């Protein structure tokens, strides 16, 4: 995968790599890191559910709503983001079909991709962005119950008219921030 990569800083154990996406004109980002908490606590912080913790700790998620529940595992969700990158990136909204799954080995998965939904027409004060197939895997580490491997894939078209250089500068730092804020959130959950 690594066409480019940024190596972890001492405080965060996350490695981000990327290459051109096969889905759209941007990049697919892969992030892998270890979060110092059990998989259940990590999942509690990242699971895409109404009233979940994500809006409290993730600086890139302002609001999250479930538009339609298709089944226990599948829902259509709308996520809004605040302005970012010194306000160069204005607020965005994303409408996705989201799948949640737990595997026999204890791995928990949240996967999503963009979808159109009649109850979610584009809102005037947001730029509509598009998530291409993406997801997070919370993977238990054998013999280390208080650690979780978090493997994430992001393929986001932010929409609008952003120069690619802005997008390329924003994502690696944003993903590293996601891991460090998640680490703080799981510590706070246990406090």
């Amino acid at each position: 995968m690594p066409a480019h990569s940024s190596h972890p800083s001492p405080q965060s154990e996350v490695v981000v790599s990327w290459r051109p996406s096969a889905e759209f004109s941007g990049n697919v980002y892969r992030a892998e890191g270890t979060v110092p908490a059990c998989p259940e606590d990590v999942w509690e912080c990242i699971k895409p559910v109404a009233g979940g913790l994500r809006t409290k700790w993730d600086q890139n998620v302002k609001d999250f709503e479930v538009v339609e529940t298709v089944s226990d595992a599948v829902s259509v969700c709308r996520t809004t983001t605040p302005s970012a990158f010194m306000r160069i990136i204005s607020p965005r909204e994303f409408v996705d079909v989201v799948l949640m799954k737990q595997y026999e080995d204890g791995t928990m998965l949240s996967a999503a991709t963009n979808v159109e939904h009649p109850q979610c027409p584009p809102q005037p004060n947001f730029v509509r962005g598009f998530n291409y197939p993406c997801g997070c895997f919370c993977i238990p580490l054998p013999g280390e119950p208080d650690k979780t491997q978090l493997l994430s894939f992001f393929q986001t078209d932010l929409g609008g008219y952003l120069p690619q250089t802005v997008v390329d500068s924003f994502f690696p730092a944003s993903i590293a921030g996601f891991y460090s804020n998640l680490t703080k959130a799981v510590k706070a959950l246990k406090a």
Side-chain angles (χ1 to χ4, degrees):
M1 169 111 190
H4 306 281
S5 64
S6 63
H7 290 286
S9 60
Q11 48 292 50
S12 72
E13 294 180 47
V14 56
V15 177
V16 180
S17 55
W18 60 95
R19 63 174 168 77
S21 170
E23 303 279 340
F24 75 116
S25 61
N27 291 318
V28 54
Y29 293 86
R30 178 186 194 274
E32 190 170 359
T34 302
V35 180
C38 67
E40 293 74 20
D41 288 351
V42 175
W43 181 248
E44 188 62 33
C45 289
I46 67 168
K47 67 183 176 184
V49 294
L53 295 174
R54 187 89 180 252
T55 56
K56 295 176 175 62
W57 65 266
D58 188 338
Q59 64 197 25
N60 291 316
V61 176
K62 186 173 185 185
D63 196 20
F64 180 86
E65 62 183 298
V66 175
V67 177
E68 181 184 349
T69 302
V70 180
S71 71
D72 285 350
V74 179
S75 56
V76 175
C77 304
R78 177 175 179 261
T79 306
T80 58
T81 65
S83 61
F85 210 62
M86 300 172 291
R87 301 209 172 157
I88 295 171
I89 301 174
S90 55
R92 296 303 198 253
E93 67 172 349
F94 300 89
V95 178
D96 299 296
V97 60
V98 179
L99 166 74
M100 290 187 283
K101 184 170 179 167
Q102 181 158 1
Y103 295 90
E104 286 177 20
D105 71 351
T107 295
M108 288 163 268
L109 160 70
S110 159
T113 192
N114 72 79
V115 69
E116 289 192 18
H117 195 281
Q119 291 172 17
C120 282
Q123 298 298 306
N125 46 345
F126 292 94
V127 173
R128 177 65 60 97
F130 301 94
N131 286 314
Y132 289 89
C134 57
C136 285
F137 294 83
C138 291
I139 305 165
L141 289 169
E144 302 206 56
D146 295 331
K147 286 188 176 177
T148 302
Q149 180 187 6
L150 185 63
L151 179 59
S152 312
F153 294 93
F154 300 89
Q155 284 191 99
T156 302
D157 179 353
L158 289 171
Y161 299 99
L162 291 171
Q164 194 60 40
T165 52
V166 168
V167 176
D168 293 344
S169 300
F170 170 71
F171 273 109
S174 171
I175 294 167
F178 170 87
Y179 276 76
S180 80
N181 289 334
L182 172 59
T183 297
K184 290 177 196 149
V186 290
K187 283 180 183 164
L189 189 66
K190 284 305 195 190

